Structures are given as structure tokens and as C-alpha cells.
């Protein structure tokens, strides 16, 4: 077969159900190959997670080849049958050619073909347009193996046509830049930029999923700095950050340059990476210039939080994660000091996990600034150490942690909303170290509170 490569993926690393499915279809007279991301991973020496198969067998023939197996027929219209084989669900898709993509997601029509090459020719990038067989090795008609070796990202056929068929491929390309360290060739990069206005037609959920994948890549900085116009097409509120001079010695970069570096500086967890992408999105809207020519952004954190809330709601980030992200953005530049009283306030305000996320945000923010002028790394180290020491003492952070309950305060005359307020005040006082979290001391403090209240 033209395009075949004798290089093989070790048989020991093929899941048995995958090999069995290929043998079964071939015994019935059909071709069958592994295709897609699993082949790319195998070529990179990685362990594939999801194995997808492509076959010359039409859907009805696939079903007939696996009598007694549970099958999923949901994708039959597009040529895909799910077969549950020895406990593993495998998607087997008939070789096909596709029509236009009027909805920018699904082809308007699918025509089955007996040609593996024709099937691979409809795919987005050469590194995804390879097939793999247990005994025949790689089938690589478009040079995907060479592109992987050269760390190159290249569209199959016309880059513009591929991106216009489904503009989400642009963000998928950025994900491959960030996750796999691939660099697009000139024509593919140009297509990303020229076609990115079409991203406005893509469902926000799909945009969110691809951007999350990109943001968590090790090479995310290359994707963000290399294609700011693509990010701005996906999230228009990012556009004003690009090239916005901060006019302050504390910053080496414009707002976008700072944002990109802050994203890369924080651990690659979706919540944290989204926070850094949006943490300064309100800066252009709060910019002022003083008489010395120095820039200020008073109130930008609150505006950034409000804008992030709208953006993440639009992109359908899960509600609990969105709430955490907005909270971190709102407080990302708030002062937090290592004194016990300050720590007591913040650790009663934020859950412990969220407090340490806030410290991670502050570290990343600091890492993306001019550290020759102001470097808060040592200060943040002391703050984190103080917080861990504080927590090691098991301070009460909510009323349920107190050595007394509401029932203990009722004989002192507390009731209703006054009772809840008293418990919260006792929690704050004990956390600050004003008195120990012991029943006698807490009741004494509660009596003092009661005496100070007006009749």
C-alpha cells in the first residue's frame, strides 16, 4: 500500500479487544485500521487511551461481524457503530468522504468509500491523518510521521478549506501547539489567523472544551503569544489586552504579555489556568495615567471578576468552578499578611483549598511581572508557611468548630439571629487567638458580649 511504513507499535501495547476486532473484521473480508488520536499517540511513543477504528465494512456489516455483542447504533447515520467487545466499547467507523459543513460541526452528508486514503484525506492535520495496523504498521499517506519528527503541525490539503469546514479546528490546532509542542507551518498558521473570525459561529461549549485543553498544555505560552488574535476571536473581551501598555515599572509586558506569562506560571489545572487568563481582563477599563506618566488600574479586580462571570457563564463553565474562578479573580490582588488576625480572617472567608489557590494565583501574577523592581516570592513563601503553621493549630474556622454550640449560649439569653451572630463572633475571636477554643473561655467571652449589648 502506497504510504505504508514498516514501523510498528509493539503488539504487547495493543489492547486485546482492539486486536480481536481487527482480526474479526478482516476474517469477514473487510479492512480495519486504528485511526485518529490513538495513532498519533502511538507514533509519539505514548500509551493511547481511546482506540478508534476505521473499516471498509458498512455499518450493517460491522454489526453482523459481532453477533452476540452489545452495539450502539446512535452514530450509524454517520457510519459509526459502537461495539462492546470483551468489556471495551470500540467505535468502528466506515471509511467515508464528507460533504460541506453548513453547521460548522457535522458534514451535511456522508458517502461511504472503500478507500482508507480517501477517509484520511478528510481529517484536519497530517498528524491525525495516519492509520495503524498490528501487522502492517503505520499507513501515512500525508507525511504525519515526518511532521511529528519535525514537531510540525500541518493541515491536510488546503489549510483554509480545512479550517472553514469546522473552525473549531483552529482551536484544536492551538491545543496541539500547547499540549504536543508542535509548531504550525506558515500556511496553516496563516489559515488559523484568517479564518478565526468564524469562531463566533461555534457553540460556546465546544470552544470552552478546546480552550481548556489548550490552557493546560505545557507549551501554552507559545500558543497564547503566537496567536492572540485567535484567542480574541474566541473571547472578544481579550482583544483590548493585546498591546495595552501598562505604563508602570512593575510590569515588563503589555497586559496580554503579562496575562500569557501568568497563565504559563501557574500549575496546569483548568480552574487556575482560566483564572490567570481572565484575572486582568478589566485592566483596560480601569486605566488612568497620573501626572508622572505612571499607569494605575484601581478597581480592576472587581471589574475583571464581573467580566469573568459573564464570560464563563457564556462558555458554560460548570457553576461550582465558575464561582471559585470569579472569587479568585476578585481577590487576586487583595493584601494578605502573615499575622494571625489576617490569616484568621482569610481562612474563615475562603475554604482552605481556595485560600491556597489564591496564593498560587498571587505567585503566578508575581512571576509575570518585573521582578527586578518588585519580587514578592520570599514574602509569599513566608505567608504560605505562616498559613500552614496557623492551620496546624486547628483554629476554629466556622461555628461548627467551636467547643460550644448554640444550646450552650441560650441560657445566657441569646436567641434568634443574635445567637448566630454570637457564634460567628466567638469563631472570629478564637481564630484570632483572643481566647482559647475551650468551653469555659468561650462562655466567658459570650457573657462579655451580652453585657455590652444595649437593653
Amino acid at each position: 500500500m502506497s504510504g505504508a511504513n514498516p514501523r510498528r507499535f509493539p503488539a504487547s501495547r495493543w489492547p486485546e479487544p482492539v486486536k480481536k476486532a481487527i482480526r474479526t473484521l478482516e476474517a469477514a473480508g473487510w479492512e480495519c485500521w486504528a485511526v485518529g488520536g490513538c495513532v498519533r499517540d502511538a507514533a509519539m511513543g505514548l500509551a493511547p487511551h481511546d482506540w478508534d477504528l476505521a473499516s471498509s465494512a458498512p455499518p450493517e456489516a460491522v454489526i453482523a461481524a459481532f453477533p452476540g455483542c452489545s452495539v450502539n447504533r446512535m452514530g450509524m447515520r454517520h457510519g459509526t457503530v459502537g461495539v462492546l467487545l470483551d468489556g471495551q466499547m470500540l467505535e468502528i467507523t466506515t471509511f467515508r468522504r464528507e460533504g460541506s459543513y453548513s453547521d460548522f460541526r457535522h458534514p451535511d452528508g456522508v458517502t461511504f468509500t472503500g478507500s482508507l486514503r480517501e477517509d484520511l484525506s478528510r481529517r484536519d492535520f497530517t498528524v491525525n491523518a495516519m492509520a495503524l495496523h498490528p501487522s502492517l504498521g503505520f499507513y501515512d499517506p500525508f507525511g504525519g510521521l515526518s511532521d511529528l519528527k519535525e514537531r510540525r503541525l500541518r493541515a491536510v490539503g488546503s489549510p483554509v478549506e480545512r479550517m472553514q469546514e469546522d473552525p473549531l479546528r483552529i482551536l484544536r490546532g492551538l491545543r496541539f501547539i500547547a499540549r504536543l509542542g508542535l509548531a504550525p507551518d506558515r500556511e496553516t498558521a496563516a489559515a488559523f489567523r484568517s479564518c478565526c473570525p468564524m469562531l463566533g459561529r461555534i457553540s460556546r461549549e465546544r470552544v470552552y472544551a478546546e480552550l481548556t485543553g489548550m490552557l493546560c498544555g505545557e507549551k501554552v505560552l507559545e500558543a497564547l503569544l503566537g496567536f492572540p488574535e485567535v484567542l480574541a476571536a474566541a473571547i472578544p473581551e481579550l482583544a483590548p489586552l493585546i498591546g495595552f501598555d501598562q505604563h508602570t515599572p512593575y510590569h515588563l509586558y503589555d497586559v496580554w504579555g503579562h496575562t500569557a506569562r501568568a497563565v504559563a506560571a501557574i500549575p496546569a489545572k483548568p480552574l487556575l489556568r482560566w483564572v490567570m487568563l481572565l484575572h486582568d481582563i478589566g485592566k483596560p477599563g480601569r486605566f488612568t495615567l497620573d501626572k508622572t506618566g505612571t499607569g494605575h488600574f484601581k478597581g480592576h479586580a472587581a471589574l475583571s471578576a464581573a467580566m469573568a462571570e459573564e464570560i464563563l457563564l457564556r462558555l458554560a463553565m460548570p457553576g461550582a468552578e465558575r464561582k471559585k474562578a470569579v472569587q479568585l479573580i476578585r481577590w487576586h490582588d487583595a493584601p494578605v499578611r502573615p499575622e494571625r488576625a489576617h490569616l484568621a480572617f482569610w481562612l474563615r472567608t475562603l475554604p482552605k483549598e481556595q485560600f491556597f489557590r489564591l496564593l498560587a494565583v498571587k505567585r503566578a501574577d508575581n512571576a509575570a511581572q518585573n521582578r527586578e523592581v518588585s519580587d514578592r516570592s520570599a514574602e509569599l513563601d513566608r505567608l504560605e508557611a505562616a498559613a500552614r503553621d496557623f492551620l496546624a493549630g486547628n483554629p476554629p474556622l466556622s461555628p461548627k468548630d467551636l467547643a460550644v454550640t448554640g444550646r450552650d449560649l441560650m441560657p445566657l439569653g441569646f436567641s434568634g439571629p443574635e445567637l448566630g451572630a454570637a457564634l460567628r463572633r466567638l469563631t472570629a475571636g478564637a481564630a484570632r487567638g483572643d481566647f482559647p477554643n475551650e468551653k469555659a473561655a468561650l462562655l466567658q467571652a459570650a457573657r462579655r458580649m451580652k453585657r455590652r449589648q444595649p437593653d
Side-chain angles (χ1 to χ4, degrees), residues 179-384:
R179 299 296 287 260
L180 304 179
L182 304 181
D185 69 355
R186 183 166 54 186
E187 292 79 9
T188 302
F192 289 169
R193 296 186 176 100
S194 66
C195 297
C196 69
M198 300 177 70
L199 287 170
R201 307 177 188 181
I202 302 300
S203 77
R204 299 296 91 189
E205 292 85 355
R206 297 179 77 209
V207 169
Y208 173 73
E210 286 294 345
L211 286 179
T212 300
M214 179 208 68
L215 287 171
C216 291
E218 184 179 347
K219 301 290 185 180
V220 64
L221 186 61
E222 284 84 342
L224 295 176
L225 294 182
F227 296 91
E229 62 275 81
V230 173
L231 274 296
I235 303 175
E237 294 91 338
L238 293 173
L241 278 59
I242 301 167
F244 197 101
D245 190 334
Q246 303 198 63
H247 293 279
T248 169
Y250 296 103
H251 283 280
L252 291 167
Y253 313 105
D254 65 15
V255 181
W256 179 248
H258 164 74
T259 294
R261 289 168 175 84
V263 169
I266 206 162
K269 298 179 180 179
L271 172 62
L272 296 178
R273 290 275 167 109
W274 273 105
V275 167
M276 299 322 296
L277 182 69
L278 303 177
H279 79 288
D280 277 349
I281 201 165
K283 268 192 168 181
R286 288 291 181 266
F287 177 68
T288 59
L289 205 61
D290 67 21
K291 294 178 180 179
T292 69
T294 300
H296 301 277
F297 301 93
K298 186 176 181 180
H300 82 275
L303 179 57
S304 295
M307 294 175 68
E309 175 88 55
E310 294 180 6
I311 292 166
L312 296 175
L313 183 63
R314 183 173 75 228
L315 294 176
M317 175 185 265
E321 291 293 282
R322 185 177 71 248
K323 181 179 178 181
K324 294 172 188 174
V326 171
Q327 186 181 55
L328 291 170
I329 292 169
R330 175 65 183 86
W331 299 117
H332 79 268
D333 68 341
V336 183
R337 300 193 299 273
E339 292 85 4
R340 182 182 176 101
H342 225 238
L343 291 173
F345 168 78
W346 281 106
L347 284 161
R348 285 186 299 105
T349 302
L350 302 176
K352 284 183 283 190
E353 297 84 357
Q354 187 76 334
F355 175 82
F356 287 107
R357 289 189 194 107
L358 180 62
L359 296 191
V361 167
K362 288 179 173 294
R363 286 186 184 278
D365 200 12
N366 175 69
Q369 297 177 10
N370 187 351
R371 295 170 73 174
E372 291 187 4
V373 173
S374 176
D375 185 357
R376 291 175 289 125
S377 300
E379 173 190 330
L380 290 166
D381 288 343
R382 289 192 296 272
L383 177 58
E384 181 169 350

